[in-house]
Amino acid sequence: MPLSYSAAAAPPSPLAARGRGLLRRPPRPTPVVVRCKKIDQLRVVNGVPPYIPVSNRSLLTPVTLPIIQEANVKNDTRLRIFSGTANPSLSQEIASYLGLELGKINIKRFADGEIYVQLQESVRGCDVFLVQPTCPPANENLMELLIMIDACRRASAKNITAVIPYFGYARADRKSQGRESIAAKLVANMITEAGANRVLVCDLHSSQAMGYFDIPVDHVYGQPVILDYLASKTICSDDLVVVSPDVGGVARARAFAKKLSDAPLAIVDKRRHGHNVAEVMNLIGDVRGKVAVMMDDMIDTAGTIAKGAELLHQEGAREVYACCTHAVFSPPAIERLSSGLFQEVIITNTIPLKEDKSFPQLTILSVANLLGETIWRVHDDCSVGHEPYSSLDID
């Protein structure tokens, strides 16, 4: 039995002892004697020794806890999509396709032009996708993407994927002259060093630019969206001819023609005298009396494709369609494209187009479903090479 102190034998308080100048040991307490009453020994009844009855049922009844489900299942997912300021409308379409809401993010610029980025929600352990094309102003949007990546990395995101519908500086992918920079490799290094774990791009200027990244690259093509649109038009397959505006785009045009009812191919031979300056020299192939579809990855000043259309009309083409994935549309592209050379100009929304750049022949197709499906497959660790989202077998 545990010992206890009585009130009379309580030790003096430390303050009282301190007042007398010393601390004394408390007196030993008086032991307490406890007497137990002896009871009779358990007896055997009818030859059966005493026992404790045990039920055949478990003493612990399992308790079923109610399953608490959030009203919004989207909040439980580890998939997060954030948008930069370059193309928020495309980001919203991608999020809507996935059934998600865009992540909350604060992006602003100081008076001197510096960019400030702060995530407004937790991304710890999440699979984060940052949608930000490096379209004009290219330097501003590129720097914004780098700071967004850095913010996610410092917020302990598990995986960071830079979704770049339009990859700027992709044209500077080689040294064609002495003392030139390879800016595409430089930008790839910057994105990697910022902390991105993966890059998702759409229609690179040249496929070999994927090798500039030291991280995985998922390269999707916007041509399936254009192919679906052209298939909906009432154009006889025997009247179609796919035209490459230059020799460098022959592989892309050949793959596009193969998907477009295996249409014949024509090539515009041009000689470039300077940046954004093109001169058409010759046409390889027959376009007389046919509907020519000119396919390119991007249209900047429209000099190459406009002069190619002039040559096609001179060679007897009945109609000319211009198709591209990235509509940069630097001046004077709008004047050239709306001059009557083209029956229709078909582009995608990888780059946002202002209202003042619209004209009657322009048709804008959305790649949100294409990118959204690819994002989901990357997040779900599935192959992105699934029709119609696979590549166009470009050599």
Side-chain angles (χ1 to χ4, degrees):
M1 183 174 183
L3 302 178
S4 61
Y5 290 103
S6 64
S13 65
L15 294 178
R18 186 179 302 172
R20 294 193 297 269
L22 63 124
L23 291 174
R24 297 180 179 180
R25 179 179 299 176
R28 184 183 300 275
T30 303
V32 179
V33 179
V34 179
R35 296 181 182 277
C36 298
K37 183 180 179 181
K38 185 178 180 181
I39 63 174
D40 296 337
Q41 187 177 5
L42 296 176
R43 293 173 295 180
V44 177
V45 180
N46 297 328
V48 180
Y51 67 96
I52 300 176
V54 179
S55 173
N56 56 359
R57 293 181 299 177
S58 175
L59 297 178
L60 296 178
T61 304
V63 179
T64 303
L65 297 177
I67 300 176
I68 301 176
Q69 295 182 350
E70 296 288 341
N72 189 359
V73 185
K74 303 172 187 176
N75 295 334
D76 296 334
T77 183
R78 288 294 181 178
L79 175 61
R80 294 284 190 274
I81 298 179
F82 293 90
S83 173
T85 60
N87 198 346
S89 59
L90 175 60
S91 304
Q92 183 60 58
E93 291 182 28
I94 294 174
S96 299
Y97 175 82
L98 294 172
L100 301 173
E101 294 182 358
L102 286 177
K104 298 178 182 179
I105 186 172
N106 180 22
I107 303 176
K108 64 180 182 180
R109 283 166 173 77
F110 293 105
D112 60 351
E114 294 181 3
I115 302 174
Y116 172 82
V117 174
Q118 182 189 26
L119 302 179
Q120 301 293 312
E121 59 184 63
S122 175
V123 295
R124 185 179 298 273
C126 295
D127 199 1
V128 178
F129 291 82
L130 305 176
V131 183
Q132 174 78 345
T134 56
C135 52
N139 299 334
E140 288 280 328
N141 292 329
L142 174 60
M143 192 64 193
E144 183 179 306
L145 173 62
L146 298 177
I147 298 178
M148 290 171 63
I149 295 173
D150 182 73
C152 293
R153 178 176 62 89
R154 298 181 185 277
S156 301
K158 183 179 180 180
N159 291 307
I160 305 173
T161 302
V163 182
I164 312 176
Y166 170 69
F167 182 69
Y169 291 99
R171 285 174 285 184
D173 57 355
R174 66 188 184 279
K175 289 185 66 173
S176 57
Q177 300 178 10
R179 299 176 296 280
E180 282 186 336
S181 67
I182 304 180
K185 172 60 176 174
L186 173 63
V187 174
N189 289 341
M190 294 169 63
I191 294 174
T192 304
E193 292 298 325
N197 303 109
R198 179 181 294 270
V199 173
L200 172 59
V201 293
C202 183
D203 266 319
L204 285 172
H205 187 65
S206 56
S207 298
Q208 63 264 25
M210 289 188 290
Y212 294 157
F213 291 90
D214 296 327
I215 54 179
V217 177
D218 292 301
H219 187 201
V220 298
Y221 296 89
Q223 282 90 335
V225 178
I226 301 176
L227 284 169
D228 290 342
Y229 176 77
L230 290 176
S232 64
K233 302 182 72 68
T234 56
I235 302 176
C236 182
S237 59
D238 296 335
D239 296 337
L240 280 175
V241 58
V242 177
V243 181
S244 175
D246 53 20
V247 177
V250 172
R252 182 183 298 104
R254 184 191 303 118
F256 189 80
K258 183 179 179 180
K259 297 288 183 178
L260 197 62
S261 302
D262 202 10
L265 180 67
I267 304 171
V268 175
D269 178 29
K270 66 175 177 58
R271 185 168 301 172
R272 187 182 296 275
H273 295 287
H275 296 291
N276 296 332
V277 178
E279 180 181 354
V280 174
M281 301 298 295
N282 196 5
L283 176 67
I284 304 173
D286 182 22
V287 297
R288 186 170 301 277
K290 294 187 177 183
V291 177
V293 178
M294 301 188 72
M295 185 66 210
D296 208 350
D297 63 322
M298 62 181 296
I299 296 178
D300 189 359
T301 60
T304 299
I305 203 165
K307 290 189 176 181
E310 293 178 0
L311 180 62
L312 293 177
H313 283 291
Q314 294 175 7
E315 295 294 329
R318 189 171 78 240
E319 294 178 351
V320 178
Y321 288 81
C323 304
C324 80
T325 305
H326 309 301
V328 182
F329 286 1
S330 302
I334 302 301
E335 290 77 7
R336 291 171 174 171
L337 295 175
S338 59
S339 61
L341 293 173
F342 301 97
Q343 181 74 16
E344 192 173 0
V345 178
I346 306 169
I347 64 173
T348 67
N349 61 344
T350 56
I351 297 177
L353 197 65
K354 297 180 179 180
E355 295 182 359
D356 58 351
K357 291 186 177 181
S358 180
F359 51 94
Q361 297 89 352
L362 184 64
T363 299
I364 303 177
L365 307 177
S366 178
V367 294
N369 293 0
L370 176 68
L371 294 177
E373 180 69 20
T374 307
I375 288 174
W376 176 253
R377 290 177 179 274
V378 171
H379 171 70
D380 204 33
D381 293 330
C382 296
S383 173
V384 299
H386 185 274
E387 294 291 345
Y389 304 105
S390 62
S391 66
L392 295 182
D393 302 327
I394 296 179
D395 299 331

